[in-house]
Amino acid sequence: MSEERGDGGGGGSGTEFERVLDVLRTRIADGTYAEGTQLPPQRELADELGVSRDTVQRVMREMNSEGWIKSRQGSGSRVVKSPIHLRASEPEAPRVRAALGTFIARAFAQPTVQLDVFTLTSESLDAHIRLQAERIRLGEIAPQRVTLRMLLPSESFDHPYPRAQQPNGEEGPRQDPDQPNRLQERLRGITRRHTTSLRTALRDLQAEGLVPHASVEIRHVRLTPTFKLYLRPGVEALFGPYKVIERPILLDDGTEVAALDVLGLGSALTRFVNDEGDPDAPGSVFMGSMQDWFDSCWELLADPV
């Protein structure tokens, strides 16, 4: 799942796999590895990050399947796509293709940061908030209050994606019946890991005295996200549908499963801006309706985590 893969991501061999995956994604997100550049050789990455070359190879396979990089034997791996929500372009029009990175940066540039989020896993949100946490530690920004409310899908039922599938036109036995559940548990593991990371990043800022007040409240709702929604209440919103794709997914034991998944990393986000002077403007109407939808789900449908 790619969040943002879906808003899910990662499989492979345990915590070291996940750590290396996070490091490389963050380096692409912050421009260390820009689009079109070659990644360092696998052996060099393995030595730098203190893992086996096999772990690096698994990470490369995962990132290749998500569309971050293109690997070719003998030529290494090259960053071929900077997902739309990571691009640094600053949108100006009220409704345009937009970047999550600049949206989060604008939020954290304010004395009071308020975010309402509905997403599948919180994976890319985690990456961007951790980037802002580093900016706070460097003294580049100094918000006084950070409040994050996040709606996530319930863990009590299986979602239509990710799920195992048979290749088109191929005959033979069906996939192992346990595989769909393993894919769902993988998705839940991704979500737990990134929500924990988010909580820790903001809690540490408060504990270190860098942000006087920082809170994260998460609630589960019995809905499968077909879109992602980021709201700065009364200011602006980002909205984007998840794209359904076919891709291989690596499980923790190294098994590769042909699956239907959703792609969040490459999905287009649309920005809507509240026009305080014209409540009937398209951006204002959209923001108002989506804020009402979020608040109603938060109050009436969701269960606290």
Side-chain angles (χ1 to χ4, degrees):
M1 178 77 43
S2 231
E3 190 165 261
E4 310 247 338
R5 272 178 323 260
D7 190 351
S13 51
T15 58
E16 290 303 285
F17 173 94
E18 300 290 354
R19 179 175 67 84
V20 174
L21 190 60
D22 278 348
V23 167
L24 295 187
R25 285 198 189 120
T26 299
R27 290 179 181 180
I28 292 175
D30 67 15
T32 301
Y33 301 144
E35 185 175 356
T37 61
Q38 290 286 124
L39 294 180
Q42 292 182 8
R43 189 176 301 279
E44 181 179 323
L45 286 171
D47 291 342
E48 177 195 353
L49 299 173
V51 297
S52 68
R53 190 172 178 184
D54 178 67
T55 296
V56 174
Q57 288 174 340
R58 290 179 181 274
V59 169
M60 294 300 182
R61 288 172 61 192
E62 178 74 4
M63 295 182 72
N64 189 77
S65 74
E66 294 169 355
W68 289 81
I69 64 173
K70 184 68 174 179
S71 298
R72 181 177 300 175
Q73 189 171 5
S75 301
S77 299
R78 181 169 56 89
V79 180
V80 295
K81 182 179 183 181
S82 177
I84 186 69
H85 76 277
L86 296 179
R87 292 176 185 165
S89 58
E90 179 71 22
E92 298 296 339
R95 182 181 177 189
V96 295
R97 285 167 65 90
L100 179 58
T102 51
F103 175 89
I104 299 298
R106 283 192 297 271
F108 273 79
Q110 306 305 312
T112 298
V113 181
Q114 187 175 358
L115 295 169
D116 290 341
V117 176
F118 175 61
T119 186
L120 186 61
T121 66
S122 79
E123 185 174 19
S124 49
L125 179 66
D126 176 29
H128 287 296
I129 284 184
R130 284 189 282 119
L131 286 174
Q132 296 306 311
E134 288 307 306
R135 293 184 65 210
I136 292 170
R137 288 192 172 88
L138 292 171
E140 297 177 2
I141 53 176
Q144 298 300 296
R145 186 179 186 89
V146 179
T147 303
L148 169 62
R149 297 193 303 173
M150 189 155 52
L151 281 174
L152 294 172
S154 172
E155 295 188 350
S156 63
F157 70 104
D158 284 351
H159 303 282
Y161 43 72
R163 64 179 173 87
Q165 67 164 172
Q166 286 290 91
N168 290 337
E170 185 172 305
E171 296 183 359
R174 294 180 60 82
Q175 296 280 357
D176 181 342
D178 288 337
Q179 284 181 347
N181 289 333
R182 294 174 70 189
L183 291 176
Q184 294 288 315
E185 185 53 41
R186 170 183 174 275
L187 174 66
R188 296 177 189 116
I190 290 163
T191 303
R192 294 178 197 129
R193 182 166 61 89
H194 288 287
T195 53
T196 298
S197 176
L198 273 169
R199 288 184 188 276
T200 301
L202 293 178
R203 183 186 62 217
D204 287 352
L205 289 175
Q206 180 172 307
E208 295 166 22
L210 296 172
V211 177
H213 174 85
S215 67
V216 179
E217 187 174 359
I218 299 170
R219 296 186 180 183
H220 281 164
V221 63
R222 290 181 62 85
L223 296 172
T224 298
T226 56
F227 61 87
K228 64 186 74 177
L229 175 68
Y230 303 93
L231 291 161
R232 293 178 60 205
V235 181
E236 62 176 322
L238 294 188
F239 175 89
Y242 286 111
K243 180 181 178 182
V244 180
I245 60 171
E246 298 175 310
R247 78 177 190 95
I249 292 179
L250 286 171
L251 298 176
D252 287 348
D253 62 2
T255 302
E256 188 173 276
V257 180
L260 286 179
D261 199 0
V262 289
L263 183 67
L265 287 169
S267 63
L269 294 174
T270 301
R271 182 186 182 218
F272 296 84
V273 178
N274 184 33
D275 185 348
E276 295 182 356
D278 184 4
D280 295 324
S284 302
V285 172
F286 178 86
M287 280 202 61
S289 63
M290 295 311 296
Q291 188 69 60
D292 287 346
W293 175 86
F294 183 94
D295 290 340
S296 66
C297 289
W298 184 266
E299 296 296 335
L300 301 176
L301 292 181
D303 299 316
V305 176

